[in-house]
């Protein structure tokens, strides 16, 4: 988990040049393992592309800008516009909820909570990660959905002038907003566990120095803890985002699964890449399977891009972090 | 240490919860393993896969068959019709379960898989698609094809719409918005339901049929069980679910009036409609591809039905595959096995059609 903070692995040149046979063997094995990972990643990409191409060439609509998903019609017509929109929107809303809460929980357990109590609280949050996602889905559907209708209606009544919260259908179930809340709870342990690890690594000297200079608790956090931990917090958020982007069954159970780009997040509807694959795979025809694989390829690329972006952010911030 | 054990116990508890849910979802598979002495047993193991719509029926039959025939294992995976057909074509399975007849190009591939013979369709399990609803104070509801199509394409949005009122004299319908539920996953149920709408309400339903739901409006839920649960928990809801799921969820179901009077959906009225399905292909009478007539106006005939097939090789299977498939399908077509279907909410094959089915099974060699 800390590899993102300190990615400069002190291996490489010296090992390869070593004359001792055991070192050479070890270097060979580790290089081989690295190459295998690259081959597997490449093979997944090639496999997806190979399976997707026939469907993509049969598509009568633009794959990137079309919303409907009717690949098994006589005239196959499908595109990822609505899927990409729903995936990104639900994940971003989940992040907006989960990242502040997760970092708050981590900060509390690492620096505020009483010593005896802190580890227990940390474990309890971590336990959320052990709950299977279908349980989150069923909970969202049977407990959260009926009990959150009042909240969504209140948002519509009072903040309906913001397009995001308005609800023209006056139906407040099976929405992107509901799925995002469930996603937020699911990624909370990821965000909080990693942030907690990072906060715990802040050198005590920094904190003591800040306190000695007369800083309050909050000023200490701002001047000593956050700058040190910022790259770690970014990676925590990005790992959480990665999980939210790919979450399948909980979202598939909750969403009403429409293929429309709709900003009104409290209305029923929306769909995501992973949920759509789970919902359509069983009964998809030849073109349908290829189309789903093509959408999987897009998710693969998006997830890859998110991870790369996270690494870039971490790299750029490192100089200012005060770490190392 | 404490942490890891408590994690495990949480996962364990969650798993138990999931298992309990799965079991209750499968409900109805009452272990009626009446040791049928008439079964002509075979031994060994065969694999089969396909339609989820016939999952509970096959599970019931497999239970009964295996307890009567020690040493026989029939392993049916409900992976969906399309995946089942692919497995069969790739020689992974001895037979496939399918909600629909093979497309011409798949029939050619399946024939190739059966070496020098034909892949045949054997209709084995029938079902009825009900319009289940949850409207307080309405205990009897009649719908016509045009009204059903109107509700599901969102042109009828209120329960007290004049079009619904006109066919439900004496019923007090509330001034409430209809909460319409459909399937969010691809499904043979949706395909058959939209086939019905296309055939019976061509003026209102313009979207043709598909496994994916194409109409605007309403809410999607996953699986028959998901739709049934959604209707049960939502006031003023209506949706289409297979009969067994409506029964398990204790939902009220609408009568359908195709023009010959309102008909209640049940095993008898649906079996009557399936019995009137007509053959589509005549070149091989053992390859029974049927076309359901959705516009039947006969009394006591419920028109929204579906039929699922077992697809296997007439010739070309060998060894255990041949012996056990034939033995199992012979049992499936027996009176005892078909009678079991009624108990779990499916619709049996009856009359002349059952005779042709048995003839088709006996032609497997």
């Amino acid at each position: 988990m800390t590899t993102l903070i300190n990615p400069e692995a002190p291996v490489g040149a010296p090992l390869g040049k070593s004359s001792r046979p055991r070192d050479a063997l070890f270097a060979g094995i580790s290089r081989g393992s690295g190459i295998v990972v690259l081959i597997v990643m490449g093979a997944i990409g090639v496999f997806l592309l190979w399976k997707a191409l026939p469907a993509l060439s049969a598509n009568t609509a633009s794959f990137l800008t079309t919303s409907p998903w009717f690949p098994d019609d006589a005239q196959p017509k499908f595109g990822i516009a609505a899927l990409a929109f729903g995936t990104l929107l639900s994940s971003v809303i989940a992040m907006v909820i989960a990242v502040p809460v997760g970092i708050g929980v981590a900060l509390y357990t690492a620096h505020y909570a009483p010593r005896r109590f802190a580890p227990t609280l940390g474990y309890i949050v971590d336990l959320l990660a052990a709950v299977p996602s279908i349980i989150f889905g069923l909970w969202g559907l049977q407990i959260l959905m009926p009990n959150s209708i009042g909240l969504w209606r209140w948002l519509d009544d009072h903040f309906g002038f913001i397009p995001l919260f308005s609800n023209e259908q006056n139906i407040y179930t099976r929405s992107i907003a509901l799925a995002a809340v469930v996603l937020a709870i699911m990624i909370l342990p990821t965000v909080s566990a990693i942030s907690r690890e990072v906060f715990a690594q802040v050198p005590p000297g920094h904190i003591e120095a800040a306190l000695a200079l007369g800083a309050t608790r909050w000023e200490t956090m701002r001047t000593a803890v956050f700058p040190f931990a910022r790259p770690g917090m970014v990676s925590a958020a990005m790992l959480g985002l990665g999980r939210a982007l790919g979450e399948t069954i909980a979202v598939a159970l909750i969403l009403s699964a429409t293929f429309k780009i709709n900003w009104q997040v409290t209305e029923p509807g929306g769909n995501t890449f992973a949920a759509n694959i789970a919902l359509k795979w069983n009964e998809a025809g030849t073109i349908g399977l290829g189309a789903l694989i093509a959408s999987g390829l897009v998710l693969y690329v998006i997830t890859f891009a998110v991870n790369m972006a996270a690494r870039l952010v971490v790299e750029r911030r490192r100089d200012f972090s005060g770490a190392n | 240490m404490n942490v890891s054990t408590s994690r495990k116990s949480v996962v364990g508890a969650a798993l138990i919860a999931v298992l309990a849910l799965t079991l209750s979802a499968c409900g109805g598979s009452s272990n009626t393993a009446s040791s049928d002495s008439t079964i002509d047993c075979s031994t060994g193991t065969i694999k089969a896969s396909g339609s989820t719509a016939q999952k509970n029926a096959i599970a019931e039959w497999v239970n009964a068959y295996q307890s009567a025939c020690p040493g026989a294992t029939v392993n049916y995976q409900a992976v969906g019709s399309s995946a089942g057909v692919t497995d069969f074509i790739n020689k992974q399975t001895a037979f496939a379960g399918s909600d629909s007849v093979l497309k011409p190009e798949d029939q050619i591939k399946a024939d190739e898989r059966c070496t020098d013979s034909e892949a045949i369709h054997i209709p084995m399990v029938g079902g009825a698609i009900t319009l289940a609803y949850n409207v307080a104070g309405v205990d009897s509801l009649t719908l016509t094809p045009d009204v059903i199509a109107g509700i599901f394409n969102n042109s009828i949005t209120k329960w007290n719409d004049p079009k619904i009122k006109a066919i439900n004299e004496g019923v007090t319908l509330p001034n409430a918005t209809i909460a319409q539920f459909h399937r969010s996953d691809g499904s043979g149920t949706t395909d058959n339901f939209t086939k019905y709408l296309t055939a019976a309400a061509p003026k209102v339903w313009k979207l043709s049929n598909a496994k994916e739901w194409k109409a605007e409006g309403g809410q999607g839920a996953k699986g028959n069980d998901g739709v049934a649960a959604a209707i049960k928990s939502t006031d003023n809801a209506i949706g289409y679910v297979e009969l067994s799921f409506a029964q398990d969820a204790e939902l009220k179901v609408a009568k359908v009036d195709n023009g010959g009077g309102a008909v209640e959906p049940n095993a008898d009225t649906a079996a009557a409609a399936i019995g009137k399905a007509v053959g589509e292909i005549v070149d091989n009478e053992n390859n029974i591809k049927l076309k359901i007539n959705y516009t039947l106006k006969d009394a006591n005939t419920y028109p929204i039905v579906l039929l699922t097939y077992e697809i296997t090789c007439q010739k070309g299977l060998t060894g255990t595959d041949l012996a056990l498939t034939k033995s199992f399908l012979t049992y499936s077509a027996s009176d005892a096995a078909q009678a079991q279907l009624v108990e779990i909410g499916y619709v049996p094959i009856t009359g002349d059609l059952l005779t042709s089915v048995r003839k088709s099974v006996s032609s497997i060699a």
Side-chain angles (χ1 to χ4, degrees), chain A residues 21-267:
Chain A
R22 279 186 205 166
D23 281 353
L25 181 69
F26 181 70
I29 289 175
S30 36
R31 188 177 295 122
S33 311
I35 291 171
V36 165
V37 171
L38 287 181
I39 290 175
V40 168
M41 291 289 284
I44 292 175
V46 170
F47 169 81
L48 291 177
L49 199 61
W50 179 60
K51 287 280 185 185
L53 277 178
L56 290 177
S57 57
N59 194 359
T60 58
S62 158
F63 181 63
L64 292 177
T65 57
T66 308
S67 285
W69 191 266
F70 304 131
D72 287 319
D73 282 8
Q75 297 283 315
K77 181 168 180 276
F78 58 92
I80 54 148
L83 293 176
F85 174 82
T87 305
L88 292 173
L89 185 64
S90 60
S91 299
V92 166
I93 298 175
M95 296 271 291
V96 167
I97 302 169
V99 169
V101 176
I103 288 177
V105 170
L107 206 57
Y108 181 72
T109 45
H111 290 292
Y112 282 81
R115 277 285 155 78
R116 272 186 306 141
F117 179 55
T120 323
L121 182 66
Y123 295 144
I124 290 174
V125 176
D126 288 356
L127 278 182
L128 280 178
V131 178
S133 59
I134 188 155
I135 299 291
F136 279 109
L138 291 169
W139 173 80
L141 200 58
Q142 297 185 349
I143 311 288
L144 186 64
M145 188 169 82
N147 290 302
S148 64
I149 291 174
L151 170 68
W152 308 127
R153 181 169 291 139
W154 181 83
L155 281 176
D156 180 22
D157 290 347
H158 294 85
F159 298 94
F161 57 89
I162 305 170
L164 210 56
F165 296 126
S166 79
N167 190 320
E168 283 159 21
Q169 300 181 28
N170 289 321
I171 305 175
Y172 301 88
T173 49
R174 294 180 184 271
S175 61
I176 286 275
L178 184 70
V181 171
V182 173
L183 282 177
I185 298 167
M186 296 177 75
I187 65 175
L188 189 63
T190 310
V191 176
S192 108
I194 297 171
S195 306
R196 193 174 66 235
E197 290 295 317
V198 183
F199 291 148
Q201 283 174 12
V202 176
H206 290 205
I207 296 172
E208 282 160 17
L211 289 171
L213 287 169
T216 63
R217 255 293 182 47
W218 169 239
E219 283 164 349
T220 313
M221 296 300 142
R222 250 180 40 217
T223 56
V225 175
F226 284 160
F228 182 89
R230 190 167 291 130
M233 285 152 65
V234 172
S235 6
M238 287 302 165
L239 279 175
L241 179 60
R243 181 168 183 199
L245 286 173
E247 176 47 44
T248 306
I249 198 68
V251 181
L253 281 177
I254 291 170
L255 284 184
S256 177
T258 54
F259 295 97
K260 269 166 77 178
I261 292 178
N262 184 0
W263 283 99
Q264 293 163 323
V265 294
T266 64
E267 286 186 353

Side-chain angles (χ1 to χ4, degrees), chain B residues 48-106:
Chain B
S49 65
S51 161
T52 49
Q54 51 174 279
K55 179 176 81 174
N56 291 350
I58 299 271
E60 191 84 0
W61 288 340
V62 167
N63 258 342
Y65 183 85
Q66 288 181 172
S67 54
C69 301
T73 307
V74 179
N75 181 358
Y76 182 84
Q77 298 289 331
V79 293
S81 300
S82 304
V85 168
T86 310
D87 286 348
F88 177 72
I89 289 172
N90 292 335
K91 298 197 173 190
Q92 303 291 309
T93 53
F95 67 89
S98 177
D99 298 347
S100 49
V101 299
L102 293 173
K103 289 179 196 155
E105 65 265 30
D106 284 338

Side-chain angles (χ1 to χ4, degrees), chain A residues 73 173 256 280 282-284, chain B residues 21 79 82 184 211 214 219-220:
Chain A
D73 282 8
T173 49
S256 177
K280 301 290 194 252
N282 273 351
E283 292 296 338
Chain B
L21 286 165
V79 293
S82 304
S184 63
K211 289 186 170 183
K214 290 187 175 179
Q219 300 182 62

